[in-house]
Amino acid sequence: MTLLIGSLTMGLILALLAFGVLISFRILAFRDLTADGSLTLGGSVAAALLVSGWNPWAATFVAVLSGALAGATTGVLAMKCKINGLLAGILVMTALYSVNLRVMGKSNVPLMESRTILSSAEQLADASTHWRIWIGLWPGQFGYEDVFLPLALDHDMSVIGLVLLMIAAVGVGMVAFFRTNLGLAMRATGDNPDMIRALGVDVDWMTTLGLAIANGLTAFAGALLVQYQGFADVQMGIGMVVLGFASVIIGETLVGSRIVGFLICGAVMGSVLFRLLVAIALRWGLNPNDLKLVTAVFVLAALVTPDLWKAARKQLSPAR
Amino acid sequence: MLELNQLTKTFHPGTPNEVRALRGVNLTIEDGSFVVVIGTNGSGKSTLLNAVAGSFFVDTGSIRLRGEDVTRWPEHRRAKFIGRVFQNPFTGTAPHLSIAENLALAAKRGRARGCGWALNSSLSSDLRERVRQMGLGMEDRLSNAIGSLSGGQRQSLTLLMAGLIKPDLLLLDEHTAALDPKSADQVIRLTDDMIRRDKLTTMMVTHSMHQAAYLGDRLIMMVRGQVIHDFRGTEKQRLTPEALLARFEEVRRLEQLDEAAAEQLRRQYV
Ligand SMILES: Nc1ncnc2c1ncn2[C@@H]1O[C@H](COP(=O)(O)OP(=O)(O)OP(=O)(O)O)[C@@H](O)[C@H]1O
Ligand SMILES: [Mg+2]
C-alpha cells in the first residue's frame, strides 16, 4: 500500500517533468536537454531557500522562475546565437551542474525539519479535522468517519491529494493556455515555423518563451521532488529528459491522439504508469542501478518499434 | 504602394557558389495593381518576393511599403502588411492544427497575440462563413486537421488565410505549380476573385504563359536578376501566350543564352 501510494505520488510529481518534455519535444518540436539541469536547479533552489527558512510556497515559486530562466537561456543560445538546439541544451545543462553546487553549497542538502509545501498539506488535513470536530462532527459519529478519517489524517494521503490538486491545476492551465491566441501561436511555431513567421510571429521569441515554460515546469517537478523526499542532491536530474520522454511516449500510446488536452492527460497517466512499472520491477528484483539502462532501452524500443512495424508490414504485404 | 529601389542580393558571396540573384531591381507598384512576374529559371523571381517579404535582408537598396522604409524589418514584422502563399502547399499551413485553428492564426496576422481565446464563437462563425463563400464544401470540416486535406484544398485555404485580414501586399510565388490542373484552375479562379473583390495589391510569380497573359493588369519579365520588360495598361491587355513566348525567344537572342538554356525554356513553356 505505501509502495503504491509512494509511486503514485512520485508519478504525479514527475508528471510536471513530462509536461515540460511534452512542451519542448512535442509542441515546440525542440529537442531540449536542459531538463536534466533545470530539474536539479528547481530542487536545489527550493532546498537552499527552505533550509534558510523561506515560506515553502515562495521558495517553490522562485525555483520555478529559476527553471524558466534556464530554459530561456537555452532558447536564446539556440535561436539568437544560432547554436544547434541539442548542443544549446547540453551547454546549459552542463553549466547548471556548477550553478546547482553553488546554490546548495554542497552536493547534498537535507531539508531536516524545514517546513515544506507537503508538510503544510498535512497541517491542512489536521486543521480540517479540528474544524469538523469544532462544528460538532466528531470521528465515529456517522460510522463512515471511522473508515475515512484515518485516511484523511494520513500523511501520505494528504500529500498525494495536494500533489494531485496541483497537477490538475497545472494541466487545466496548460489546456487553457494552448487555446489562447498566444498558446495557439506557440503550437503553430512547433508545427510550421515558416507559416507562423509569415503570419507575424517572432519564432525565436516564441520558442524561447516555450522553453522557459517547459523548464519552469521541470523545475517545479524538481522543487516538489525535493520536498517529497526530504533532500536535494546535485545528481538528482541525471536521466530526467529520457524519463520524461518515456512518460510522454507511454501517454501518447495510451490516449492515441494528438489533441493537446489528451496529450496532457496522457503525460500524467504515462508518468504514473511508468512509476508503477518501476516499482513492480524493483519489487521483482530489478537492480536499481540498472534502472536508467532499462529506461533508455524502453525509450529506444518505443522510438524504433513503429518504424520496424511499418517495415515488417511492407515486407509482408504482397508486392504490387 | 511598394517601392523597390536598386535591390541587390548575392548568395554565398566570395565563394565558388556565388550567385548574384538580384542585380539592381527597381520597381514601383501602385495600390490595387496586380502584377504578374515571369522569367527564366533562376532569374530571381522567388528571391525578389522573398526580399520583399523579408525572408532575408537585401545587400543594398531599399524597400518601402506604404511609405515606410521596411528594408531592415524582420519578416515577422513585415507580416503585418503582407499576405503570402507559397509554391509548396505544405509551407502555408500548420498540418496538425485544425482548419479553424489555422484560420484563427491568420485572423491575427501581424497583431498582438494575447491570452484571449483563439477561437471564440463569433470568430468561429465568421470563419465558417468565409470558408462557405469559397464554395469548396469545407465549412463543415473546420475541426479536421488541415494536414488531412489535399494540396489544392490546402492551397485554397492558405489563400483565404493570406487575405483574411486585407493585406497591403499579396505575394504569390507559383502557388499553383505543385497542383494538378483542375485544382490549379480552381485556386487561380479563387485568387482572381479575391484580388478583384478586395482590390488587393498583388505580385504573382507564374510559369504559366496562359495565367501570365490573362491575369493581372501589369506584367514584368525578369532575366538574370533584373526586370527587363514591363508591360502595363492596354499593352498588357493585348499580350497573348504566344507573344510572351516570342519575348522569351527575343530574350534568348539578346542575352545570347546558350542553346541548352533555350532548350530548357522550350521544354518548360511550350
Ligand atoms: N537561399 C538561397 N541560397 C543560395 N542561393 C539561392 C537561394 N535562393 C536562391 N538562390 C539562387 O539564386 C538564383 C535565383 O533563384 P530564384 O529562386 O530567385 O529563381 P526563380 O526565378 O524563382 O527560379 P524558378 O523559376 O526556378 O523558381 C538561383 O541561382 C538560385 O540558385
Ligand atoms: Mg522560384
Side-chain angles (χ1 to χ4, degrees), chain A:
Chain A
M1 186 67 183
T2 36
L3 185 72
L4 180 74
I5 292 181
S7 21
L8 264 177
T9 314
M10 277 290 271
L12 286 173
I13 291 176
L14 290 174
L16 289 167
L17 164 73
F19 287 166
V21 172
L22 179 68
I23 292 180
S24 50
F25 279 66
R26 284 300 190 240
I27 290 182
L28 291 171
F30 186 106
R31 296 188 191 84
D32 178 28
L33 299 187
T34 318
D36 279 19
S38 55
L39 184 122
T40 317
L41 180 65
S44 38
V45 168
L49 294 180
L50 285 173
V51 168
S52 67
W54 273 51
N55 173 298
W57 293 97
T60 306
F61 182 69
V62 175
V64 171
L65 285 187
S66 69
L69 190 65
T73 310
T74 303
V76 169
L77 288 184
M79 309 312 290
K80 288 297 173 200
C81 309
K82 306 286 172 211
I83 297 173
N84 173 294
L86 277 174
L87 185 58
I90 292 174
L91 286 178
V92 172
M93 178 184 89
T94 307
L96 282 179
Y97 192 86
S98 300
V99 173
N100 292 331
L101 279 172
R102 281 273 176 192
V103 168
M104 294 193 289
K106 49 192 175 190
S107 62
N108 188 299
V109 173
L111 295 189
M112 312 301 257
E113 293 304 305
S114 313
R115 209 158 60 86
T116 71
I117 288 184
L118 302 178
S119 65
S120 50
E122 217 174 334
Q123 285 166 4
L124 221 66
D126 280 348
S128 83
T129 319
H130 290 316
W131 178 76
R132 275 189 299 183
I133 291 171
W134 186 68
I135 63 166
L137 302 171
W138 51 85
Q141 191 183 9
F142 301 111
Y144 67 80
E145 293 276 357
D146 294 323
V147 183
F148 284 102
L149 200 57
L151 282 182
L153 277 173
D154 185 68
H155 167 85
D156 290 348
M157 289 311 276
S158 56
V159 165
I160 205 172
L162 182 65
V163 172
L164 193 60
L165 256 168
M166 286 192 284
I167 300 299
V170 172
V172 169
M174 280 170 67
V175 172
F177 173 71
F178 285 115
R179 285 163 168 261
T180 63
N181 284 305
L182 185 65
L184 189 59
M186 189 174 285
R187 286 167 62 201
T189 300
D191 206 16
N192 187 346
D194 291 334
M195 168 260 201
I196 199 66
R197 198 181 289 116
L199 292 178
V201 171
D202 184 343
V203 167
D204 296 352
W205 189 83
M206 193 58 85
T207 307
T208 304
L209 177 68
L211 290 177
I213 295 176
N215 284 285
L217 290 172
T218 305
F220 193 9
L224 286 188
L225 200 57
V226 161
Q227 298 179 58
Y228 178 64
Q229 61 192 14
F231 66 89
D233 190 281
V234 74
Q235 309 268 10
M236 67 190 272
I238 293 177
M240 281 300 171
V241 176
V242 177
L243 186 73
F245 199 54
S247 309
V248 170
I249 294 176
I250 298 177
E252 282 172 348
T253 318
L254 288 178
V255 299
S257 159
R258 276 198 64 119
I259 296 172
V260 177
F262 284 86
L263 286 179
I264 288 169
C265 291
V268 179
M269 288 166 16
S271 182
V272 169
L273 187 64
F274 191 80
R275 269 296 126 194
L276 290 177
L277 290 178
V278 166
I280 293 170
L282 290 175
R283 239 318 171 40
W284 279 353
L286 174 75
N287 184 339
N289 290 341
D290 294 338
L291 201 54
K292 297 219 191 300
L293 175 64
V294 173
T295 310
V297 170
F298 170 82
V299 169
L300 179 68
L303 288 180
V304 297
T305 313
D307 289 342
L308 288 180
W309 185 241
K310 251 185 252 160
R313 268 210 303 221
K314 216 182 244 166
Q315 289 271 307
L316 293 177
S317 67
R320 269 182 281 174

Side-chain angles (χ1 to χ4, degrees), chain B residues 18-63:
Chain B
E18 181 175 287
V19 184
R20 291 172 62 199
L22 297 180
R23 309 184 189 197
V25 173
N26 290 303
L27 191 64
T28 300
I29 298 180
E30 290 84 24
D31 284 340
S33 116
F34 178 0
V35 182
V36 178
V37 183
I38 60 173
T40 49
N41 283 114
S43 58
K45 305 180 295 294
S46 298
T47 307
L48 180 63
L49 260 62
N50 289 335
V52 171
S55 307
F56 47 74
F57 290 145
V58 290
D59 299 335
T60 62
S62 70
I63 303 169

Side-chain angles (χ1 to χ4, degrees), chain B residues 159-175:
Chain B
L159 187 69
L160 177 65
M161 286 164 62
L164 207 52
I165 302 178
K166 187 184 168 192
D168 294 280
L169 179 66
L170 178 65
L171 298 178
L172 310 170
D173 189 356
E174 296 192 48
H175 67 308

